[in-house]
Amino acid sequence: MRISSSQYFTLNVETMNNQQASLANMYAQISSGKALQTAADNPLGAAQAVALSSQAANLAQYTTNQSSALTSLQQEDSTLTSVTNVMQSIQSLVVNAGNGTLNNTDRTSLATQLQGYRSTLMTLANTTDSNGNYIFAGFQGGSKPFSDNPSGVGASYSGGPGQRVVQISDTRTINVADPGSAIFQSVSSNESSPVASGASANTGSGTISPVSVTNSGDPANASTYTITFGTTTTGTPPTTTTVSSYSVTALDPTTGTTTTVTPPTPYTAGGNITVGSQTVAISGTPAAGDTFTVAPANTGKTSDTDIFTTLDSLVNALKQPADTSAAQATLQNALTTAGTKISNTYNNVLTTQTAVGGRSQEVTATQTATQTTSTQTASNLSDLVSVNLPSAISQYEMTQNSLQAAQQAFAQIQKMSLFNYLTG
C-alpha cells in the first residue's frame, strides 16, 4: 500500500494537533486543580459529581439547621431552668405561709413576695430569642404569648398551639420550641396529683388534706367529687341524736351526670373519706352547707391549670385577714389547693425540660453523623473532580516531550526527497 506525501504530512500534523490539544487540556486541569473541565471529559464521573455536589449542599443546609435547632433548644432549656428555680422558691413560700405563728402583716409581706415571683414567671414566659421571636409563642413567634387578664386574675395565651419544627436530616424534623400554653397552663398527665379544695363560702373551720391516691389507674378517679356537710338525726324520739354528717357526689366528665356515691354518713374529724381510689382527710368542724371538692389535676378548664391564676388566687388569699377560725380554715384550704397546683405545674415544667434535653441530645448526635457524612462526601467528590498534581504534571511533561520529539522528527523527514538525494 502506498502512502502519498500529502497523506503522511496530514497524518503527522493531525497527530501533533491532538497532542497539543491534550497538552492544553492537561494544562487547564493543572492550573484549575479540576480533573473534570467539561462533562465530555468523563460523562459518568460528571453525573456522579453533580449528585455529590447536590448532596454536599443539602448536608451543609442540614448543618446550619442543626446549629439553629440546638441554639433554640439550649435557650429553652436555660429558660426552663430559671422557671424551675422560681417554682421552687414559690413552693418554699407556700410552706412558710402555712406557719401558724404568722400574723396578717407577715402574710401580706409574703403576698408581695409572691407577686414578685409571678412577675418573674411572666417575664420568663415571654422570653425572646436573638431574633426577637418569642420562644414560647408556638407558630406565632412574633406575637407576645402571655398577657394579664383584665380581671386581674390569670393570664391569656395569644401564641400558636403548635410547635415550631426544623428539618435536621433527610428523614428527621425536630421540635425546637414548645408552646407556652403547654408549659404554664397545662399539667403532666403522669406526674400530677388530684386537687383538693374547700369552697370559699364555707363558714366552718373544716380543712381538707392533700389527696392520697391508692390506684392511679381507676377510671373513677376522673370524676369530680363534691363532699357536702350537713346534719343527720339518729335514734327514735324522744331519744334522738343530731350529728354532723357528709355525703359525696360524683360528676362524670363523660356524661355530665351527677350521682351520689356516699349517702349521709356521720363525720369523724380527721377520718379518711374515700372518693374513687383516692382518700382525703377533713379536720376541724365543718358547718352545715360547707363543701369540699376533689378533682383531677386537669378538668379541661384552663383556669384550673393556669399557674398565673393559681398564684393570683393565692396572693388574694394571703392578703385576707385570718382572725377567725373560719378565716384560718379558708386560708389553709387555699394553701393546700395552691400547693398541689403549683407542684403539678412544677412537675410539668420538669417533664418538658426533660423532653427538651432529649431533643438536644438527638440534634447533637445528628450533627456528628452529618459531619461524618459531609467529610466522606467531600472526599468522594474530591476524588472525582480533583487533579492528582504529581501525576498530572508528570503526564504533561511526558506528552510535551513526545510532542517535541514528533515535531523534530517531522522537520527532518520533511527534508527527505529523491531530488535532494540526487543533487546532494
Side-chain angles (χ1 to χ4, degrees), residues 23-328:
L23 280 173
N25 185 54
M26 290 181 186
Y27 181 79
Q29 290 179 352
I30 293 171
S31 61
S32 66
K34 294 182 179 179
L36 290 176
Q37 297 299 310
T38 65
D41 293 338
N42 182 354
L44 178 59
Q48 292 175 332
V50 170
L52 288 172
S53 296
S54 177
Q55 182 181 8
N58 289 339
L59 290 171
Q61 184 59 59
Y62 289 142
T63 298
T64 300
N65 291 357
Q66 290 159 9
S67 297
S68 174
L70 190 59
T71 298
S72 296
L73 290 170
Q74 288 173 340
Q75 181 175 13
E76 182 176 359
D77 181 66
S78 176
T79 303
L80 291 176
T81 296
S82 298
V83 171
T84 58
N85 291 337
V86 175
M87 294 296 296
Q88 289 172 346
S89 298
I90 292 173
Q91 288 177 313
S92 297
L93 185 148
V94 172
V95 173
N96 187 25
N99 189 334
T101 63
L102 299 181
N103 56 34
N104 292 333
T105 301
D106 295 331
R107 285 188 288 270
T108 299
S109 177
L110 290 179
T112 301
Q113 186 177 352
L114 186 60
Q115 286 176 313
Y117 290 142
R118 184 202 186 277
S119 296
T120 301
L121 276 184
M122 178 64 75
T123 299
L124 291 172
N126 289 324
T127 297
T128 58
D129 60 20
S130 58
N131 296 319
N133 294 317
Y134 293 93
I135 67 174
F136 295 124
F139 292 136
Q140 301 178 17
S143 301
K144 183 179 178 180
F146 287 99
S147 57
D148 293 328
N149 288 329
S151 64
V153 177
S156 58
Y157 178 70
S158 302
Q163 295 175 307
R164 295 198 298 273
V165 298
V166 171
Q167 187 165 0
I168 59 173
S169 70
D170 286 336
T171 59
R172 184 71 173 102
T173 59
I174 199 160
N175 301 329
V176 297
D178 295 279
S181 57
I183 300 173
F184 301 96
Q185 294 182 326
S186 184
V187 294
S188 170
S189 57
N190 297 324
E191 301 294 334
S192 298
S193 300
V195 179
S197 60
S200 58
N202 287 355
T203 58
S205 61
T207 58
I208 191 169
S209 70
V211 183
S212 176
V213 181
T214 56
N215 179 12
S216 59
D218 188 349
N221 295 348
S223 296
T224 297
Y225 294 91
T226 300
I227 305 169
T228 304
F229 280 83
T231 57
T232 300
T233 301
T234 59
T236 303
T239 305
T240 59
T241 303
T242 300
V243 297
S244 177
S245 64
Y246 67 89
S247 60
V248 181
T249 58
L251 174 62
D252 190 306
T254 303
T255 64
T257 58
T258 300
T259 57
T260 299
V261 294
T262 303
T265 303
Y267 165 67
T268 300
N272 286 334
I273 298 175
T274 300
V275 287
S277 292
Q278 309 161 124
T279 59
V280 291
I282 296 179
S283 303
T285 307
D290 285 358
T291 60
F292 299 85
T293 303
V294 175
N298 187 359
T299 60
K301 298 179 181 179
T302 300
S303 58
D304 288 339
T305 53
D306 175 24
I307 184 60
F308 301 108
T309 298
T310 298
L311 298 180
D312 289 335
S313 298
L314 182 56
V315 167
N316 182 63
L318 289 172
K319 288 182 177 180
Q320 301 303 314
D323 299 327
T324 66
S325 59
Q328 291 171 357

Side-chain angles (χ1 to χ4, degrees), residues 94 195-196 307 310-311 313-314 333-343:
V94 172
V195 179
I307 184 60
T310 298
L311 298 180
S313 298
L314 182 56
N333 288 329
L335 290 172
T336 298
T337 301
T340 301
K341 289 184 175 181
I342 291 168
S343 178

